[in-house]
Amino acid sequence: MANMATPGAEILRSDTTARVLVVDDEPEIASLVADSLRHVDPSLEVMQETDPQRALARLGEESFDCLVTDLAMPALGGLALAQKARSLNGDLALVAITGHASLDASVEAMRIGFTDFIRKPFDLDELSGAVCRAIRDRRAQNQLEQRFVSLAEANAQLETGQAQLNQKLQIASHDLVLSGKRMARQMQDVAMASGVARSLMGVIELEDLLGLCAELLGDRVACHTSTVALYETAESAVGLMVRAYPDSADPPALCWLRQPLRTGLLCRAAQTKKSVHVDNIAESTLAHADEKNLWHDGRLLVVPIVHHEQSLGAVALHRPGDGEDFTPQDVKQVVELAKVMAPAILTAKMHHQQRCRMYATLEAIADGLEQRDPYFKGHSLRVLAYAQQISPALELSQAQIGALQIAARLHDIGRITIPDAVTDHEGPLTDEQWEIVRQHPVAGERFLKSLDFFGEVAEIVRAHHESYDGTGYPDLLAGDEIPLVARVLAVADSFESMTSARPYRPAMSVEAALEHLEKMAGQQFDPQVVEAFLALPREALEQIQQLGR
């Protein structure tokens, strides 16, 4: 057992014991996996079974946190076992061990809920790490759901508090005027907190939530700009920042930093969990140089965002130097607002991290699809690079740029449904084969929509083969009916395809492909997008052609 795990192996080390059931019809492998997990992490309580039917019965009688199962077993395969086990325990984490999983089996396993696939012969450290991650991720999902419940309960408590204060005001209406004013102020604070909590309910996208928080701060406390910044505890640095301008009609915008801030006013507030007030930021010795570039001069009030002793970030309100100073009441109000915003920010941050993990898995599937067809190797990377080159000229919003980055990498994920006989066909495709190929945007949309996180991206994937004149597929959309990001993707995708070889034709030259884009502008392609593409330097196009090959 001494060689079963190295000091670098990932372990759970949780205060709560986790129970793991290992199922493999080969007793030696079942014992090896179970012994390895016990050795790597003594906090794991590991059981083993070689009969999947007995394992299923045991899953119905006992409580387990994770199922580690071979996919290929007689009588009852790993996929069927996992599906039945999930019907008994919806919180069960799933890890697969297999010797020869097909792509279809991998996709089906992902839909059932498997988080990792360990191929035989497997590395014991990799296996133990996968089990620990699966248990942690499942617990994190449960915590995320609890956060939603906590936020709803907090809102209900705030509304109850407001009702109670209203009742007290009616009972104490004969008291002194001073007492009545104090009660009115308390009501105003509770009403403000309740209103903010209601505004944040249901907003789960991290950048949208930070922007809304910045707007709410600017609406309630007079300032020139209001900024919300995220603090990453693991890096001890401030990264993502969103700024709002209360006196302007412009929407909140991301503040791009050259590098994360590890010192300065924002970090100081987040690390000490105490507010910072600066009269003149230009002369402040505590402010980071990048912070001085953001605000230049004037007064700055920085308040930490803390939830259960965990620093999540900081809010910064800026006023001109010749304006009024921040009062104690301003500070108190911002502190209370930060407390109300903290649970929502934590929930959105966890959602964002989970979405990133899901996107990484989908990227791996997309890369796998391209690897099985040498003519498509690196295709999505080049499509993304072309699309990124033309997006500045089209003035895409931050949300559209984010959707474009994901859609470009995943736009052909629906090709997973195309049989190998079609993808490997040499020569021009038959009408029947073309009809199969034309279904991949719809298949891609269905696949992404089933994962919850990628609704907007799914619509773009469905529309990336629509034509500007309405003759495309699958929905015969035309003009502005086609999402702008899909129109950008269509030009980038077509140019990449034309300049790459296919089994039935050689690659076109850059100049020939550009001439085709210009010719089809207004018919197949959006003229504005084509114009932006034609303006790109030829050197940039030629460099992108070599990506991923």
Side-chain angles (χ1 to χ4, degrees):
M1 295 295 294
N3 295 326
M4 293 184 68
T6 66
E10 186 173 2
I11 58 177
L12 189 61
R13 296 293 188 219
S14 173
D15 294 335
T16 305
T17 300
R19 303 189 78 235
V20 180
L21 180 60
V22 177
V23 184
D24 196 302
D25 59 331
E26 297 182 56
E28 297 83 3
I29 294 181
S31 297
L32 179 64
V33 172
D35 291 342
S36 171
L37 293 175
R38 296 188 191 103
H39 180 78
V40 169
D41 192 345
S43 70
L44 294 177
E45 183 179 352
V46 186
M47 313 298 174
Q48 64 191 68
E49 288 288 352
T50 57
D51 183 351
Q53 294 289 358
R54 286 202 305 271
L56 182 60
R58 194 165 184 177
L59 287 164
E61 297 167 357
E62 300 177 41
S63 175
F64 288 91
D65 296 283
C66 181
L67 171 64
V68 181
T69 178
D70 188 8
L71 293 185
M73 295 185 292
L76 182 64
L79 293 180
L81 173 61
Q83 199 161 17
K84 292 181 179 181
R86 268 292 179 86
S87 68
L88 298 172
N89 179 2
D91 294 331
L92 186 66
L94 301 174
V95 175
I97 51 178
T98 180
H100 45 49
S102 67
L103 186 59
D104 290 341
S106 298
V107 173
E108 179 61 20
M110 181 178 173
R111 287 176 176 164
I112 292 173
F114 280 88
T115 57
D116 270 290
F117 307 88
I118 308 301
R119 293 186 178 275
K120 299 177 183 178
F122 48 78
D123 181 90
L124 295 178
D125 289 350
E126 180 185 4
L127 175 61
S128 61
V131 171
C132 293
R133 283 195 304 275
I135 295 173
R136 268 200 307 273
D137 288 348
R138 203 65 196 174
R139 289 177 176 174
Q141 176 65 25
N142 291 338
Q143 290 175 357
L144 181 62
E145 294 170 356
Q146 292 171 4
R147 295 294 182 191
F148 277 111
V149 174
S150 298
L151 191 58
E153 290 175 351
N155 184 55
Q157 290 174 358
L158 288 171
E159 292 178 342
T160 301
Q162 183 177 1
Q164 291 173 346
L165 286 174
N166 282 332
Q167 185 179 16
K168 288 180 180 180
L169 182 60
Q170 292 175 357
I171 296 173
S173 59
H174 60 283
D175 286 348
L176 296 175
V177 174
L178 181 61
S179 177
K181 288 183 178 180
R182 184 169 59 251
M183 185 70 73
R185 284 197 299 270
Q186 291 176 344
M187 286 180 58
Q188 184 179 11
D189 290 344
V190 173
M192 177 193 66
S194 179
V196 170
R198 282 196 298 269
S199 298
L200 300 179
M201 283 287 290
V203 181
I204 197 63
E205 293 297 335
L206 186 57
E207 292 180 9
D208 293 343
L209 181 72
L210 296 182
L212 179 56
C213 289
E215 285 185 318
L216 292 172
L217 285 163
D219 290 343
R220 284 157 177 77
V221 181
C223 60
H224 177 62
T225 64
S226 53
T227 304
V228 180
L230 281 188
Y231 179 74
E232 299 297 339
T233 305
E235 301 176 5
S236 299
V238 168
L240 181 65
M241 298 172 59
V242 179
R243 175 187 287 183
Y245 299 83
D247 297 331
S248 170
D250 295 335
L254 288 174
C255 298
W256 297 106
L257 302 173
R258 288 174 294 180
Q259 57 186 2
L261 298 180
R262 291 181 168 82
T263 60
L265 301 173
L266 294 168
C267 279
R268 185 182 183 88
Q271 292 166 355
T272 63
K273 301 182 179 67
K274 294 181 180 179
S275 300
V276 180
H277 182 196
V278 176
D279 287 331
N280 189 337
I281 190 171
E283 299 178 358
S284 172
T285 58
L286 299 177
H288 190 279
D290 285 347
E291 292 177 326
K292 293 184 178 183
N293 289 333
L294 285 172
W295 289 290
H296 302 296
D297 55 22
R299 310 176 190 277
L300 199 67
L301 172 62
V302 185
V303 174
I305 304 172
V306 182
H307 184 69
H308 292 177
E309 296 302 315
Q310 179 183 355
S311 287
L312 303 176
V315 300
L317 273 64
H318 175 252
R319 288 177 178 174
D322 56 358
E324 295 183 1
D325 198 359
F326 292 100
T327 66
Q329 180 60 28
D330 291 332
V331 177
K332 177 185 176 183
Q333 194 169 5
V334 176
V335 168
E336 291 302 318
L337 286 169
K339 288 180 180 178
V340 175
M341 294 171 177
I345 291 175
L346 178 60
T347 300
K349 187 176 180 181
M350 293 176 66
H351 172 87
H352 178 75
Q353 292 170 341
Q354 188 174 11
R355 178 175 179 171
C356 289
R357 287 193 293 270
M358 180 68 75
Y359 173 62
T361 301
L362 293 174
E363 263 196 325
I365 292 177
D367 289 340
L369 284 171
E370 293 182 2
Q371 290 295 332
R372 77 175 187 175
D373 185 346
Y375 291 97
F376 275 87
K377 183 180 179 183
H379 169 70
S380 63
L381 287 174
R382 294 188 291 275
V383 170
L384 172 59
Y386 289 131
Q388 288 176 324
Q389 287 286 319
I390 59 177
S391 59
L394 300 173
E395 298 182 351
L396 299 184
S397 67
Q398 291 297 330
Q400 289 174 319
I401 291 174
L404 176 62
Q405 291 173 338
I406 298 174
R409 290 288 278 134
L410 304 181
H411 70 281
D412 277 337
I413 200 166
R415 289 176 60 86
I416 199 170
T417 62
I418 300 177
D420 290 342
V422 177
T423 57
D424 297 339
H425 180 77
E426 295 186 2
L429 299 179
T430 66
D431 291 344
E432 182 179 354
Q433 289 172 328
W434 266 119
E435 187 58 34
I436 294 174
V437 171
R438 286 161 66 95
Q439 295 304 311
H440 80 270
V442 177
E445 180 212 26
R446 289 174 180 168
F447 181 72
L448 293 174
K449 274 194 172 181
S450 69
L451 301 176
D452 295 332
F453 292 101
F454 303 101
E456 182 182 358
V457 174
E459 295 177 3
I460 296 168
V461 168
R462 182 184 180 97
H464 78 276
H465 277 298
E466 298 287 355
S467 293
Y468 195 74
D469 61 2
T471 60
Y473 60 90
D475 300 313
L476 300 178
L477 301 180
D480 292 340
E481 294 177 339
I482 308 170
L484 176 57
V485 175
R487 284 178 264 155
V488 173
L489 192 58
V491 171
D493 184 31
S494 295
F495 182 82
E496 202 292 316
S497 297
M498 286 187 289
T499 54
S500 296
R502 292 291 182 265
Y504 50 87
R505 62 160 175 81
M508 294 174 62
S509 68
V510 169
E511 291 302 327
L514 291 175
E515 288 178 6
H516 183 76
L517 289 181
E518 186 173 14
K519 176 182 177 182
M520 299 304 292
Q523 299 178 50
Q524 184 178 355
F525 306 117
D526 183 335
Q528 185 180 4
V529 178
V530 171
E531 181 181 358
F533 198 96
L534 294 177
L536 296 178
R538 299 299 184 268
E539 298 80 9
L541 298 179
E542 292 170 355
Q543 289 177 359
I544 293 173
Q545 274 190 299
Q546 304 308 315
L547 285 177
R549 296 192 186 276

